[in-house]
Amino acid sequence: MSLTMGTPKPFALWRHLNKLRWLSLSIVFAMLVALPFIHVYQTYTAAHAYDLLAPAEKQLYDVMETLTAAFTDDPAEDLDAIKGNTWSGSFFGLQLSDPLAVAGQMAAGLKLYAPFLLTALIPVLFTLVLGRFFCGWICPATFLYELNTNVSTWLARLGFKVGNRRFDLRLKYAVLGVGLLLSAATGSVLMAAIYPPAIVGRELYYAIALGGFGAGAAFFVGTLLFDTLVARRGFCRYLCPGGALYSLLGRYRLLRIRRIVENCNDCAKCNAVCEFGLDPLRDHFGQECNNCTACIAVCPTQAMTFVLRPTDFPKQGPGHLGKQYRRAHPDQGAH
Ligand code: SF4
Ligand code: SF4
């Protein structure tokens, strides 16, 4: 009997989710670039002083006026609909915050502030269902980190030595714990200084609205170098306090990926593509998996799919289309 007869096939569209994810990352990043321009334009319109603007400022005003004219007659008021960044902001009246921002603020203030706590409710609920999805689908730093991985891959092909060291994944939980303790001790949310998405949002604003970079830009470049020279996607895997918090919240996420062992040929492409260094080839996704779907997209035999269950599928051994399994089960025949 053919090994593939009667084996499940995943929903065909799952393969295309990785493209949708890139669209999502691009939109978030584009919004973080657009918002400082909008803010500057709002300032100009509120001042009613077009004639006093410098030529470059007038140019910006004119471009922004052209771009936004179709959407608003009152830019100073209407363009306030989206404010802030992924650390904390407002989206058409809905206040949203990164759970790390709320946890850090509570630690720094040593008390619960319910209105701010509630701003993390929607991200937390999404994380309970989708796991560390923020890291794969929203984080503006991921947009840059994944491009950086592509650059590192090119460098490796050209013969440059790129880092691929592995450390203990639990390091980031220590960073989170120490960060919260230090926030409590100092009364300030120190983790915002080393949290890549907060840095990217802040530094884009500084660069566009204020014409310069802060110290965070240097730190972020350091994380890119760390990823290239020491450990692929190293900061997110081993050091990011937000990644740690999302992983903890997403430990028992309801939507997770499962390998269909009957379809798997053990090619290991899923492991190779996994930015977080997980082992989907042997059914280990764990709390670190961000449901990015890169492993689904790359799998040549449609052996990856989504399931609704709060824990990983138990280890299933070699793929049934792989050499190892077929040698051990010659009676089952090849398809
Ligand atoms: S196991 Fe798959 S979905 Fe999870 S992080 Fe790795 S590539 Fe992404
Ligand atoms: S067939 Fe798919 S699930 Fe199996 S090792 Fe290859 S990429 Fe991974």
Side-chain angles (χ1 to χ4, degrees):
M1 188 180 79
S2 163
L3 280 177
T4 53
M5 267 184 67
T7 52
K9 284 281 179 198
F11 182 42
L13 283 182
W14 293 155
R15 293 179 70 76
H16 301 289
L17 282 178
N18 199 34
K19 294 176 200 132
L20 190 64
R21 183 178 73 89
W22 262 96
L23 182 65
S24 165
L25 290 173
S26 307
I27 289 172
V28 172
F29 195 83
M31 276 173 60
L32 288 181
V33 171
L35 284 172
F37 284 112
I38 290 173
H39 179 80
V40 172
Y41 174 55
Q42 278 182 299
T43 316
Y44 293 163
T45 54
H48 299 292
Y50 181 83
D51 290 341
L52 298 178
L53 296 177
E57 294 170 339
K58 280 185 177 158
Q59 219 169 14
L60 172 64
Y61 186 106
D62 295 340
V63 170
M64 292 301 295
E65 188 176 40
T66 308
L67 290 176
T68 59
F71 307 103
T72 173
D73 296 327
D74 184 3
E77 185 66 30
D78 297 343
L79 295 180
D80 254 358
I82 303 175
K83 283 190 295 194
N85 53 39
T86 59
W87 179 249
S88 192
S90 109
F91 195 78
F92 294 99
L94 183 66
Q95 299 287 328
L96 293 170
S97 297
D98 190 309
L100 186 70
V102 172
Q105 191 64 51
M106 287 192 315
L110 290 177
K111 66 174 180 206
L112 293 180
Y113 180 53
F116 192 45
L117 189 63
L118 284 177
T119 62
L121 185 63
I122 292 175
V124 168
L125 288 176
F126 269 91
T127 308
L128 293 176
V129 177
L130 301 173
R132 197 179 164 176
F133 84 103
F134 174 87
C135 305
W137 288 74
I138 311 281
C139 176
T142 289
F143 180 79
L144 298 173
Y145 284 140
E146 291 201 14
L147 291 177
N148 190 48
T149 299
N150 292 340
V151 172
S152 302
T153 306
W154 278 104
L155 288 175
R157 281 188 194 146
L158 291 172
F160 291 94
K161 193 167 161 36
V162 297
N164 215 356
R165 290 189 62 186
R166 292 199 175 233
F167 302 97
D168 193 321
L169 290 169
R170 291 171 298 183
L171 260 177
K172 60 182 169 296
Y173 301 107
V175 174
L176 173 64
V178 170
L180 289 173
L181 284 174
L182 286 177
S183 296
T186 60
S188 70
V189 189
L190 297 175
M191 284 172 298
I194 62 153
Y195 185 40
I199 292 173
V200 170
R202 239 182 7 247
E203 294 297 329
L204 282 173
Y205 186 85
Y206 291 162
I208 295 167
L210 308 177
F213 286 106
F219 181 86
F220 187 74
V221 170
T223 66
L224 290 172
L225 290 173
F226 179 68
D227 286 10
T228 301
L229 302 175
V230 182
R232 177 182 167 188
R233 205 61 195 277
F235 195 87
C236 303
R237 285 187 193 180
Y238 308 114
L239 297 170
C240 180
L245 185 58
Y246 280 114
S247 293
L248 289 173
L249 290 168
R251 182 180 174 91
Y252 298 107
R253 67 188 176 282
L254 290 181
L255 190 71
R256 59 183 62 231
I257 296 177
R258 181 211 151 176
R259 182 175 63 119
I260 302 169
V261 70
E262 295 91 338
N263 293 353
C264 174
N265 66 10
D266 283 345
C267 69
K269 288 184 176 171
C270 47
N271 279 23
V273 82
C274 181
E275 282 278 273
F276 282 5
L278 306 177
D279 191 15
L281 164 62
R282 286 295 173 259
D283 309 298
H284 181 69
F285 299 89
Q287 65 196 37
E288 317 283 340
C289 175
N290 62 22
N291 277 342
C292 73
T293 73
C295 53
I296 298 182
V298 80
C299 178
T301 58
Q302 297 191 55
M304 290 288 185
T305 190
F306 275 113
V307 286
L308 279 175
R309 51 179 285 145
T311 53
D312 282 347
F313 213 74
K315 285 203 167 38
Q316 306 174 91
H320 293 193
L321 300 186
K323 284 186 192 146
Q324 195 184 344
Y325 183 88
R326 287 160 66 175
R327 262 200 307 269
H329 301 83
D331 53 313
Q332 296 198 17
H335 73 100

